[in-house]
Amino acid sequence: MPVGGGAVQGYRVSPVQQGDWCPLVGAQSQGTVSLVQRGTGACWWRSSAGIHDRALLEQWDTGTRFGGSSAGIQGLSSGAEGLVHIGGGAEPGWLRQHEAIEKLNIQAILSASAGQEQLLIELLVNYAKIPTLIEELISVEIWKHKVFPVLCQLEDFKPKSTFPIYLVLHHEASIINLLETVFFHKEICESAEDTILDLIDYSYRKLTLLAAQSTKGEFPIHEKFLPEDVTNASSMQELQKQAEMMEFEISLRALSVLRFITDQVDSLPLSALTRMLNTHNLPCLLVELLEHCPWSRCEAGKLKKFENGAWHVVPPEDHVRMTKLDGQVWLSLYNLLLSPECQRKYNLDGFNKSQLLKLRAFLTDVLIDQLPNLVEMQRFLSHLVVTEPVPPKKDLILEQVPVIRDRIVKENSGKWQAIAKHQVKHMFSPSEDELKHLACRWARTYNLDVIEALVPEKPKCGLCGSEATKRCSRCQNEWYCKRECQVQHWQKHKKACNLMADALKKTKEDLQVQP
């Protein structure tokens, strides 16, 4: 499957060329596994173990949303069944929906990387699930902005486990990742119908936040929590930090989704083009992203770039290499500026013209060599310098507008605190038995063997840092390249290994899982 793909061909991302496959070296056991790169730096895998699950789509409850309860609190979406309703005798509809989306997400990645996603695409289109996904995405976005802050401010809320709340936060990341995977296909974009306007607005909100943070020099810190950090911070404070890091990655995936939408400008509704070009002025927003480049930063004199879910130090010889995120912005600009229909609709007034001409400084020979299609954009900008564009004709009398977010917010205005308190009582304060039951469900949903196969980075030796193929059989957490390294590292690893092994043993006993 091509890297990038879409309307513009020739998009190359070193070291993976378009359509190339890179072999995976490591200890994996999930059938035939290979690696290809696409999108915002996510790594997609080809596996002989991938199986399409039609039942997931057929059983997907389109009425399940956030909010709602038997206590009379209205949900975040009209007709919603409610959040995970633990212990109240209600059917845990949201949890079923979350599990279905997680499995579909993993399935989509495996199928897309194997070039066998057509069946999954047909099922999503035939069962009209793309509008459902988009509404679910916006529902959880609203929950995160309206309800989650209330939960964090409740002084008497001291949850035994914050994982149920984390699941809700992670729900947005799962949906946007699934959309990023499938929106590569034209029929998926067309099947969104009117909800494409809501998805465009969602992506615009995410990119605006990304641009604002980069302008202020605010970057999320993707570092592991140290033991002293965990001791000093409360569980909810930890969760807030994780939510901030997650928001950054979600915004980057929204950029990829927006780029795939721009690939289909010729088949989009007229209102979608008007909204992207004139209502939100996406070309100028994308120029600002290129200017401030939120996925790149300097730290201690070294250039770091965000790829594959983490910040990496870039060696001097790769400073001018285009990242996949840079490529997504350039391709989006290419689609929006060089399409005849977009040129006819976009208002190239003095401000927009001056912003677009900033791109000339970025269009170096090195950049064009990596993305040859940008030669056409260079010509377009050169022509723009010496011409005065004619204002577009306002031929659109009636314009469609997105309705999902406004409807949900309006229906629940003034109810956010009541929703938060209800969810604390019925979802986020489970008993020990309920946590054990949920842990079993989560273990089945998040299959560790499959998830490990999706991790883009190969494990490193705990002693020397080399690529590792073996891991500690006792704690299953530390990796080594050879027996000698494990022996030398034992004195340092012993304490952590004992703690992990004891925790694993206790968990298995509690959940009555055979070793």
Side-chain angles (χ1 to χ4, degrees), residues 411-430:
E411 289 175 354
N412 296 278
S413 178
K415 301 176 184 177
W416 308 115
Q417 191 163 6
I419 292 173
K421 289 181 178 179
H422 172 77
Q423 292 171 358
V424 165
K425 181 179 179 181
H426 293 281
M427 176 182 177
F428 300 135
S429 301

Side-chain angles (χ1 to χ4, degrees), residues 40-60:
T40 61
C43 288
W44 314 94
W45 301 79
R46 179 170 69 181
S47 171
S48 60
I51 300 174
H52 297 281
D53 194 344
R54 182 185 298 268
L56 284 177
L57 285 164
E58 292 176 339
Q59 297 173 4
W60 198 0

Side-chain angles (χ1 to χ4, degrees), residues 2-13 17-18 322 331 368-374:
V3 178
V8 183
Q9 300 302 319
Y11 175 29
R12 297 180 291 132
V13 182
Q17 300 297 323
Q18 184 169 8
M322 180 190 294
L331 289 172
I368 294 174
D369 182 59
Q370 296 176 75
L371 190 51
N373 302 82
L374 293 181

Side-chain angles (χ1 to χ4, degrees), residues 189-387:
C189 190
E190 292 175 345
S191 72
E193 298 179 341
D194 293 344
T195 59
I196 196 72
L197 299 172
D198 296 275
L199 186 57
I200 289 171
D201 271 30
Y202 171 87
S203 300
Y204 169 75
R205 289 192 294 273
K206 295 299 180 183
L207 297 188
T208 301
L209 178 63
L210 200 59
Q213 289 176 336
S214 61
T215 303
K216 296 177 183 178
E218 298 175 357
F219 297 98
I221 302 174
H222 283 66
E223 305 292 345
K224 294 182 178 178
F225 285 105
L226 299 174
E228 55 268 25
D229 295 331
V230 177
T231 303
N232 296 332
S234 71
S235 298
M236 293 303 292
Q237 286 175 329
E238 267 185 68
L239 204 60
Q240 285 177 288
K241 290 182 181 180
Q242 291 173 332
E244 290 173 6
M245 293 187 289
M246 206 181 301
E247 182 70 22
F248 179 73
E249 296 190 48
I250 288 171
S251 299
L252 298 182
R253 297 198 181 280
L255 172 60
S256 287
V257 171
L258 183 66
R259 175 259 154 132
F260 291 135
I261 293 174
T262 64
D263 282 345
Q264 314 301 336
V265 289
D266 294 333
S267 59
L268 289 176
L270 290 176
S271 295
L273 286 179
T274 302
R275 199 150 192 88
M276 286 194 294
L277 295 172
N278 298 323
T279 305
H280 297 317
N281 200 354
L282 283 179
C284 286
L285 178 58
L286 292 170
V287 171
E288 189 170 352
L289 286 175
L290 281 178
E291 274 191 293
H292 299 286
C293 201
W295 46 86
S296 177
R297 70 183 185 189
C298 286
E299 190 176 281
K302 296 181 179 179
L303 178 65
K304 285 187 173 183
K305 293 188 177 182
F306 189 83
E307 290 187 282
N308 298 333
W311 291 96
H312 301 279
V313 176
V314 181
E317 62 271 17
D318 288 339
H319 280 193
V320 294
R321 182 178 67 86
M322 180 190 294
T323 66
K324 288 178 282 294
L325 290 165
D326 293 322
Q328 299 289 29
V329 178
W330 281 112
L331 289 172
S332 299
L333 283 167
Y334 181 99
N335 293 332
L336 290 174
L337 295 179
L338 273 67
S339 164
E341 184 64 21
C342 291
Q343 289 181 0
R344 189 177 70 84
K345 288 185 172 295
Y346 190 45
N347 184 16
L348 278 168
D349 55 22
F351 173 77
N352 290 347
K353 180 178 176 179
S354 64
Q355 290 296 107
L356 293 180
L357 289 178
K358 292 180 181 180
L359 294 173
R360 300 181 73 195
F362 297 98
L363 289 170
T364 62
D365 292 341
V366 175
L367 182 70
I368 294 174
D369 182 59
Q370 296 176 75
L371 190 51
N373 302 82
L374 293 181
V375 171
E376 297 179 41
M377 182 174 289
Q378 194 174 46
R379 294 196 197 104
F380 167 77
L381 295 173
S382 299
H383 180 70
L384 187 61
V385 173
V386 298
T387 59

Side-chain angles (χ1 to χ4, degrees), residues 433-484:
D433 290 339
E434 289 164 347
L435 274 175
K436 291 177 183 179
H437 172 69
L438 286 174
C440 291
R441 295 189 65 166
W442 293 330
R444 290 193 295 268
T445 301
Y446 301 98
N447 186 294
L448 291 181
D449 290 334
V450 176
I451 289 176
E452 279 189 357
L454 298 174
V455 175
E457 293 184 356
K458 304 178 183 72
K460 303 293 183 182
C461 177
L463 180 69
C464 66
S466 302
E467 185 179 315
T469 57
K470 301 174 175 60
R471 64 177 170 184
C472 178
S473 59
R474 189 159 178 258
C475 70
Q476 298 290 311
N477 191 53
E478 195 66 80
W479 289 78
Y480 298 100
C481 60
K482 53 188 177 182
R483 173 69 178 171
E484 290 78 5

